[in-house]
Amino acid sequence: MRRKHYAWLLTHQPRTGAPARVSPAPQCADPPPQERVVGRSRLVLDLSCRARDGVYYVVTDRWQRFTDVAVDQASLARLASRCDEFLVHGVDVEGMKLGIDAALVELLGQHSPIPVTYAGGARSLADLDAVARAGQGRVDITVGSALDLFGGDLPYADVVAWHRRQQVGQA
């Protein structure tokens, strides 16, 4: 199994209060340091997303500060040019076991040009099914605090069995 490196390409200046920005700009002639060290094919970009006025934005600083990066087809394409995969957190439901953010999953399924894994709110096998539907079969999901391994009610064995059924359905 190949190992992927997680990187946060969004920066902010907490002391100055300047807004967060994507760094480096996609039109740079030289690849950013992350690409030189590990290579684009081994880089997973972790994006924390929150909705404001019907638009999803990347957020920083413990999910409190909105950046100017709207999550849409153009930004996903631009960011995809620098990594191999996205890990996207639906921060409004992350860790709460309240169900998934279906609108965010749908957006990712429609517009992500590279593999994407969604994290946030999953509490049952029905939520896993909802991600498969809303993401049009193009969005994977990660389950955290809902798992019995971490004190939740969702049996790990049931999630593994669900995943195996999905794999058989794709064959």
Side-chain angles (χ1 to χ4, degrees):
M1 177 187 312
R2 70 183 190 172
R3 175 175 286 157
K4 300 245 181 169
H5 295 269
Y6 291 82
W8 288 261
L9 297 180
L10 293 173
T11 62
H12 59 88
Q13 297 77 32
R15 290 188 182 96
T16 65
R21 66 191 188 319
V22 175
S23 174
Q27 61 269 27
C28 290
D30 294 325
Q34 300 90 327
E35 286 186 41
R36 288 192 297 268
V37 173
V38 299
R40 176 187 174 273
S41 66
R42 296 180 58 163
L43 196 63
V44 175
L45 181 58
D46 187 340
L47 301 170
S48 296
C49 301
R50 171 169 273 158
R52 181 175 63 191
D53 300 326
V55 177
Y56 285 94
Y57 290 90
V58 175
V59 292
T60 63
D61 293 340
R62 292 184 214 116
W63 306 337
Q64 300 306 305
R65 183 179 298 215
F66 281 82
T67 69
D68 59 355
V69 180
V71 180
D72 57 23
Q73 186 174 11
S75 66
L76 290 172
R78 186 176 68 249
L79 294 169
S81 72
R82 297 293 189 190
C83 63
D84 194 51
E85 189 173 328
F86 294 128
L87 172 60
V88 176
H89 297 267
V91 302
D92 288 321
V93 295
E94 177 87 19
M96 298 182 191
K97 298 182 269 185
L98 298 174
I100 63 157
D101 186 336
L104 178 57
V105 172
E106 185 175 342
L107 183 151
L108 297 170
Q110 290 174 351
H111 298 301
S112 181
I114 59 175
V116 58
T117 299
Y118 167 82
R123 63 184 174 213
S124 67
L125 295 180
D127 287 328
L128 304 185
D129 289 332
V131 167
R133 279 190 310 278
Q136 303 167 27
R138 300 183 64 235
V139 178
D140 292 324
I141 184 166
T142 181
V143 181
S145 59
L147 287 175
D148 59 353
L149 300 172
F150 304 120
D153 296 325
L154 184 56
Y156 174 76
D158 291 356
V159 173
V160 170
W162 179 90
H163 176 71
R164 288 185 177 143
R165 287 191 303 274
Q166 301 303 305
Q167 296 300 322
V168 169
Q170 292 177 0

